[in-house]
Amino acid sequence: AQTVTQSQPEMSVQEAETVTLSCTYDTSESNYYLFWYKQPPSRQMILVIRQEAYKQQNATENRFSVNFQKAAKSFSLKISDSQLGDTAMYFCAFMNLQATGQAGTALIFGKGTTLSVSS
Amino acid sequence: KAGVTQTPRYLIKTRGQQVTLSCSPISGHRSVSWYQQTPGQGLQFLFEYFSETQRNKGNFPGRFSGRQFSNSRSEMNVSTLELGDSALYLCASSPRAPDSGANVLTFGAGSRLTVL
């Protein structure tokens, strides 16, 4: 069974600084996607970035980028030039693309990291 | 383009009752998934529907059920409510069928269920 681990329950950073959120996962599958979702205090879960496992190039979306280390099963999120609006809980998630068993294409989430950005 | 709409947003029930939650996906999205979010267990997958058929199911008891209608709207039902069912229930929709490649899920705001 796949598992996702986020070892940092809480982090804080000041505006304009850079912060990195850690995520490790465990799987025996080779074909999968990884995601970072953001859940602000309003609770709407928003996709931040995704990474295809078969791509070596790290995904980037504006101020957000990932460091994907497939062999190490690590998928960290870097937020550059942090803004107050980045304050949220961040979830790392895994999706197996091979529909095997009940997990199928369901997302498996980590426990989340609460990020606080202060001025 | 309207997002994923979940109703009701908040509800309070007592133990033993049942509850039905509704989810309207983004127009054109045919896949709907449900997740339970609690402080202790985090986010857990409940089930996924596509074309009115349940395609995947998480590890939840049979008290949790769902269905999808021909217009892709989905409902989930929890019978014989227990205190531990208090949670935020999130619905997510995606445009693709399961097994057809990565499904990027768009989530609704959730339905907050409190069981007393």
Side-chain angles (χ1 to χ4, degrees), chain A residues 3-15:
Chain A
T3 59
V4 177
T5 302
Q6 294 178 250
S7 59
Q8 307 150 313
E10 296 180 355
M11 295 192 72
S12 59
V13 67
Q14 292 201 312
E15 274 186 302

Side-chain angles (χ1 to χ4, degrees), chain A residues 33 35 37 39 42-47 50 89 91 95 97-99 101-111, chain B residues 9-10 35 37 40-43 45 48 56-59 88 90 98-99 101-105 107-110 112:
Chain A
Y33 275 61
F35 303 84
Y37 276 90
Q39 188 177 40
S42 66
R43 303 180 320 191
Q44 190 95 28
M45 191 88 73
I46 303 165
L47 176 66
R50 74 172 185 177
M89 180 165 280
F91 292 96
M95 177 185 282
L97 292 187
Q98 296 158 352
Q102 290 187 339
T105 54
L107 280 172
I108 299 169
F109 286 92
K111 293 291 189 184
Chain B
R9 291 290 305 276
Y10 304 90
Y35 290 80
Q37 185 176 18
Q41 298 299 316
L43 282 150
F45 171 73
E48 178 179 23
N56 284 306
K57 189 178 191 302
N59 188 25
L88 179 67
L90 293 170
D99 310 337
N103 271 311
V104 176
L105 305 187
F107 284 84
R112 168 74 66 185

Side-chain angles (χ1 to χ4, degrees), chain A residues 61-96:
Chain A
E61 285 289 341
N62 301 311
R63 298 183 294 107
F64 299 88
S65 62
V66 297
N67 183 5
F68 174 48
Q69 302 289 327
K70 190 172 184 178
K73 297 180 182 175
S74 171
F75 183 61
S76 60
L77 174 70
K78 185 172 81 172
I79 305 174
S80 304
D81 186 25
S82 295
Q83 300 175 359
L84 294 177
D86 295 333
T87 293
M89 180 165 280
Y90 287 80
F91 292 96
C92 178
F94 172 99
M95 177 185 282
N96 179 21

